[in-house]
Amino acid sequence: MKACLDPQCLLLTLACYALAAEANKAKRNVLFIMADDLRPSLGCYGDTIVKSPNIDQLASKSKVFLNAYAQQAVCAPSRTSMLTSRRPDTTRLYDFKSYWRIHSGNYTTLPQYFKSRGYITMSVGKVFHPGIASNHTDDYPLSWSIPAYHPASFRFEKEKMCKGPDGQLHANLLCAVNVAEQPGGTLPDMESADEAVRLLKKQAKSSQPFFLAVGFHKPHIPFRIPEEYLRLYPIEKMTLPVDHDVPGRLPPVAYNPWTDVRKRDDVQKLNISFPYGPIPKDFQLRIRQHYFAAVSYMDAQVGRLLSALDDLSLTESTLVVFTSDHGWSLGEHGEWAKYSNFDVSTRVPLIFYVPGVTAPRSDGGFGGPTFRFVDVFSQSRRYVQANPVVRNMVELVDVFPTVAHLAGLGCPQACPAVSFQVELCTEGESRAHVFRHKERGENEEAISFSQYPRPADTPQMNSDLPDLKDIRIMGYSLRSWDYRYTLWLGFDPQTFQVNLTDVHAGELYMLADDPGEDRNIYEDSLHGVLLKMTSLFPTVSLQKRMMLQLLRLTAERQNPK
């Protein structure tokens, strides 16, 4: 392993080890919960529509990161990036069709790191993306002590399980069901919660520390959920987003045509033109209703896990992390999927409960539980934030080093500029210091960095998820406090090289005036500024180069000649 010689990198590494020794000498258990396709549509993130009482209760006793971003808004690349703490350009996984250990480098994963330090590591549900992307084993036995568990009922997710108005079963997008009529009388996330609780009960009797990762499938499509959750969201109270039209100055390369949604039986019947044809308003409202209902259904499964920690006396020894792999568009910009660089696709919830740090030990005062299960149908509990939130930008590559420190383990060192041969390092940054010290206001240098590949300049049937061999353009996106800046650059899928002089399109959004990213102010005159800068700082990383470009672009705009 290469040493970290850069002074800033060395200071960060030393600080991580010092904080780890201070925080807790004993090893904490970890319950790592991940939702699928969940944007921050939660009460604890200010959403006034969604009912998420169990996650809100967790947030009230946790540190909540308000501006956390995924590195690529699609499942396999994002999960691999988060669990290895390497960006997609390092894992070289932009689709679902390669295994990073063979394709790129033999990187140490978050659960593997814990396993190597004496933990029993367990995976339930969708943690790694199943299939080739995790070697058809969910990276077992390298990452997990026992084979990963997948709910048996998941095999029905893509089959015709949804009863239509004709009384027949269909493979629909909207699929609220009577659970008793489903195979086995259950659904995948219910099975995953059952298995996770069983494992918690087993580990409660063991002295060995555990790392239990639980991946819930919802609110991922199809919306095959218990039908009673729709009652929480009467259709007459559903509304469309204010920016439901495709923005006039959106470059065609930036648009995702939501082809997987189009493939569902109920959507096909709508005869929507490709790629920009709008979904009828009444169906849009039903999509939003079903998504919110899926969130509430998933929230109930999270509540089951959290209350089990209390029942098993594990709450005071267990660090809880809740996050998602990426977000999801619900009609914003005329889009109905992930597959983009917009905030609605890249921004995710990120919540850390640290016993004795974010909440006092023996919380409840009179012997009450820390996490009481909240039945969304019979109880309404208002969210109360007990700890200062973190407003500055963070990234999912930060999760690995942060969890490692908070659990009482040492932090991986920062990766060198080229790290394909380095098994253990991080391209993120530990955020552990914010648990001991208040955030010092707005940090203008805090950024997140995301990317998305495209096969062509205009929407194609494979634009949402192109195979590696078909990628010709990479959209690199920098999110700061004030701006979201994106460049769509030429990309060679054989060499994995980006051509900095081959600028296909640009996006620049001034977030103070345009929080929905609807008015692209990138102009041809600004394009000329970029071309002048391409020869500058040849050894500087793309992230740093884009930061410098953003400073120049905003200066040019504020002080035109």
Side-chain angles (χ1 to χ4, degrees), residues 24-193:
N24 194 350
K25 294 181 181 179
K27 292 180 178 178
R28 288 191 176 104
N29 302 314
V30 177
L31 175 58
F32 189 92
I33 308 171
M34 194 188 318
D36 200 348
D37 290 14
L38 177 66
R39 64 199 233 161
S41 291
L42 300 165
C44 52
Y45 279 82
D47 193 297
T48 58
I49 298 173
V50 173
K51 297 173 174 63
S52 51
N54 291 286
I55 297 171
D56 293 349
Q57 180 180 218
L58 170 67
S60 70
K61 300 171 184 182
S62 301
K63 184 70 73 173
V64 177
F65 291 82
L66 291 186
N67 289 295
Y69 290 85
Q71 273 47 78
Q72 186 178 330
V74 69
C75 301
S78 176
R79 290 165 183 267
T80 300
S81 173
M82 172 166 47
L83 292 167
T84 60
S85 196
R86 311 290 183 102
R87 300 182 187 278
D89 279 346
T90 303
T91 66
R92 291 180 168 175
L93 180 66
Y94 311 106
D95 56 17
F96 295 170
K97 298 185 177 179
S98 63
Y99 179 43
W100 83 92
R101 292 190 190 274
I102 296 172
H103 184 63
S104 177
N106 187 30
Y107 309 135
T108 300
T109 69
L110 173 59
Q112 182 181 2
Y113 185 65
F114 276 76
K115 184 183 176 187
S116 70
R117 280 150 178 79
Y119 280 69
I120 180 171
T121 57
M122 302 162 286
S123 173
V124 172
K126 186 177 178 181
V127 180
F128 282 102
H129 194 279
I132 298 174
S134 56
N135 201 34
H136 297 284
T137 64
D138 296 77
D139 202 44
Y140 171 79
L142 293 171
S143 287
W144 310 110
S145 304
I146 58 177
Y149 170 87
H150 289 284
S153 61
F154 183 72
R155 71 184 184 91
F156 300 105
E157 280 289 280
K158 295 185 179 180
E159 295 188 12
K160 295 183 177 182
M161 304 301 297
C162 320
K163 190 176 292 185
D166 57 2
Q168 302 299 310
L169 295 179
H170 302 273
N172 285 346
L173 173 68
L174 310 181
C175 191
V177 299
N178 181 337
V179 175
E181 296 176 353
Q182 297 299 294
T186 190
L187 291 173
D189 284 350
M190 292 178 175
E191 284 194 283
S192 291

Side-chain angles (χ1 to χ4, degrees), residues 232-300:
L232 299 170
Y233 304 97
I235 194 67
E236 61 272 15
K237 293 187 177 181
M238 292 295 99
T239 59
L240 299 182
V242 294
D243 55 347
H244 57 270
D245 294 324
V246 179
R249 289 184 56 84
L250 181 71
V253 69
Y255 182 77
N256 84 75
W258 35 278
T259 50
D260 53 349
V261 169
R262 295 172 188 271
K263 294 175 183 176
R264 311 291 165 166
D265 290 355
D266 50 352
V267 178
Q268 285 189 355
K269 292 179 181 178
L270 301 174
N271 294 318
I272 302 165
S273 62
F274 184 91
Y276 298 114
I279 294 175
K281 180 179 178 180
D282 61 336
F283 202 89
Q284 291 187 42
L285 294 173
R286 293 181 65 202
I287 293 176
R288 290 170 66 85
Q289 175 198 37
H290 280 70
Y291 182 91
F292 299 149
V295 173
S296 293
Y297 161 59
M298 180 273 298
D299 174 82

Side-chain angles (χ1 to χ4, degrees), residues 251-496:
V253 69
Y255 182 77
N256 84 75
W258 35 278
T259 50
D260 53 349
V261 169
R262 295 172 188 271
K263 294 175 183 176
R264 311 291 165 166
D265 290 355
D266 50 352
V267 178
Q268 285 189 355
K269 292 179 181 178
L270 301 174
N271 294 318
I272 302 165
S273 62
F274 184 91
Y276 298 114
I279 294 175
K281 180 179 178 180
D282 61 336
F283 202 89
Q284 291 187 42
L285 294 173
R286 293 181 65 202
I287 293 176
R288 290 170 66 85
Q289 175 198 37
H290 280 70
Y291 182 91
F292 299 149
V295 173
S296 293
Y297 161 59
M298 180 273 298
D299 174 82
Q301 311 316 308
V302 173
R304 292 177 60 196
L305 300 189
L306 296 176
S307 62
L309 290 181
D310 269 350
D311 294 343
L312 298 168
S313 301
L314 290 170
T315 306
E316 292 189 1
S317 59
T318 304
L319 162 69
V320 181
V321 183
F322 178 82
T323 190
S324 170
D325 51 359
H326 45 72
W328 184 265
S329 295
L330 286 173
E332 295 88 357
H333 317 109
E335 298 181 338
W336 294 93
K338 42 213 175 189
Y339 313 123
S340 81
N341 285 317
F342 281 114
D343 259 28
V344 286
S345 294
T346 56
R347 184 169 168 243
V348 297
L350 182 59
I351 301 169
F352 285 83
Y353 165 77
V354 187
V357 177
T358 62
R361 297 189 182 278
S362 300
D363 187 57
F366 298 98
T370 301
F371 300 119
R372 178 187 288 109
F373 178 79
V374 185
D375 183 352
V376 69
F377 294 102
S378 61
Q379 301 179 51
S380 60
R381 178 170 296 188
R382 295 186 64 185
Y383 166 70
V384 178
Q385 178 62 52
N387 302 292
V389 296
V390 178
R391 299 182 182 277
N392 283 304
M393 311 300 133
V394 299
E395 305 175 282
L396 287 186
V397 286
D398 299 337
V399 168
F400 185 156
T402 304
V403 173
H405 162 249
L406 293 174
L409 308 182
C411 294
Q413 68 178 19
C415 290
V418 179
S419 63
F420 295 108
Q421 302 303 314
V422 182
E423 292 186 10
L424 176 60
C425 67
T426 174
E427 292 184 358
E429 180 181 339
S430 173
R431 304 296 175 174
H433 61 280
V434 303
F435 291 80
R436 294 292 187 183
H437 306 286
K438 260 186 148 181
E439 188 176 45
R440 295 182 179 178
E442 183 177 308
N443 181 0
E444 294 289 349
E445 296 184 1
I447 65 164
S448 67
F449 199 74
S450 306
Q451 61 189 100
Y452 210 85
R454 294 281 191 244
D457 287 299
T458 56
Q460 314 289 319
M461 290 303 295
N462 65 338
S463 287
D464 288 348
L465 192 60
D467 291 345
L468 173 62
K469 63 180 177 60
D470 297 323
I471 298 172
R472 295 294 178 270
I473 304 166
M474 190 69 72
Y476 291 98
S477 192
L478 185 154
R479 175 63 156 83
S480 69
W481 262 101
D482 299 317
Y483 295 93
R484 202 261 284 176
Y485 169 45
T486 301
L487 284 180
W488 296 91
L489 303 171
F491 182 83
D492 186 333
Q494 293 184 325
T495 63
F496 300 95

